[in-house]
Structures are given as structure tokens and as C-alpha cells.
Amino acid sequence: MGDITEREIDVFLKAVGRYFEQITEEAALVQGAYLGERGQLPLTYDFTGMIAISGRYAGCIYFSAPRQMIRHLLMAMHEPNQSDENLIDAVGEIANTLAGNARAHFGEHMEISVPISLAGAPERIKSAVRARPYVIRVHWKHYEAALIVDIERKD
């Protein structure tokens, strides 16, 4: 398996920025990617959405955010249902949208699964393919979330 390039990571950085800009009409501060701790998913929050990646790429993409941030995002979308079930669905849809935006760049060489959503910090989940997954920190309003890119290119 081959490492993904800085240019490929930039696709994810732009996808996160574009998501917040389109959904909330407010820019999020998206920090550049850094390598997380060995074997662990860093920066996991109350809710995490996961998308499995296959095709020319393998691994997973995770979006993890605190409860209040997801609630605030739902309010920005004029969604009145703030139940835990809807919060869990929302984080999965965010992960799906981010992966879908990346797939638009990578084309049919990147296949994405349906989202899997989890409540609670998923300490039981380990990185899928990378010894040290890339972490992209997202700051929006006074909240912090993370997009974790745990993929490699199959060459």
C-alpha cells in the first residue's frame, strides 16, 4: 500500500471547509493535517461517523464532533429534531458528505460505504490501515471537531 500525498490530503481539507461554508454560511477554521498517535483514533468526541473506503484506496474516514456542535449544525439547517437518534444520523451524514466530496475528486477509483454512526467516544476503534492516521482539526464557532483520514492508496 502507498501513502496518500499532500495533495490528496488537501482534498479533504477543502471538503471540510466547503461543507461548513455551504451548510452554515460561516467558514470553519480547518487546520492542516498532522499524524495522529500510533494505532489509535485521536480526537474522538461524543458522536462519530465512519465511512469505509475501497477501490484504489483502502481504509476509513471518520468525522467526530461534540454533541453541542452537531446540535448547532442541525439548527443551522433548520432541523428542529435534536434527539440523540437524529444527532447520530447527522454525524453519519456529515461523514458521508465529506467522503462524497472527496470522491468527486478521486472519481470511481474511490468507493465509499454507507455511513456507520456511533455515540460516545469510540475508544474501541483502532486505525484501519495506517499506523498513524491523518488528523484534520476543525474549529467552528467555539466548537472543535476532527476529520480523521485513515486511508492508503493500493498500488
Side-chain angles (χ1 to χ4, degrees):
M1 294 231 198
D3 199 9
I4 57 177
T5 66
E6 186 175 323
R7 191 168 172 206
E8 290 168 320
I9 285 292
D10 193 51
V11 169
F12 292 98
L13 291 164
K14 289 178 180 170
V16 173
R18 196 169 39 252
Y19 176 83
F20 279 87
E21 187 78 39
Q22 289 175 346
I23 296 298
T24 69
E25 297 179 359
E26 293 181 51
L29 172 62
V30 181
Q31 294 182 317
Y34 67 90
L35 291 173
E37 293 299 314
R38 188 166 297 281
Q40 296 293 321
L41 285 187
L43 293 178
T44 51
Y45 296 96
D46 299 323
F47 296 100
T48 300
M50 180 193 89
I51 302 292
I53 304 296
S54 60
R56 187 177 285 171
Y57 298 85
C60 295
I61 296 169
Y62 306 87
F63 179 77
S64 192
R67 172 185 305 275
Q68 294 298 65
M69 181 184 206
I70 301 299
R71 282 189 172 164
H72 207 139
L73 286 168
L74 287 176
M75 287 189 290
M77 293 184 270
H78 306 290
E79 172 56 59
N81 182 350
Q82 302 288 310
S83 69
D84 276 2
E85 184 176 286
N86 208 35
L87 296 173
I88 290 170
D89 287 345
V91 79
E93 284 308 312
I94 294 168
N96 190 49
T97 300
L98 296 174
N101 288 343
R103 187 183 184 280
H105 171 80
F106 294 110
E108 73 273 0
H109 303 296
M110 176 183 275
E111 299 170 20
I112 61 174
S113 72
V114 297
I116 296 171
S117 302
L118 305 162
E123 296 156 1
R124 65 191 175 278
I125 298 177
K126 306 295 183 207
S127 60
V129 295
R130 298 184 55 79
R132 298 179 66 196
Y134 290 101
V135 179
I136 299 168
R137 296 178 105 178
V138 181
H139 300 274
W140 179 70
K141 297 208 177 271
H142 58 278
Y143 306 108
E144 183 177 300
L147 177 65
I148 301 161
V149 180
D150 184 19
I151 64 173
E152 288 190 329
R153 189 179 326 101
K154 297 188 321 192
D155 287 330

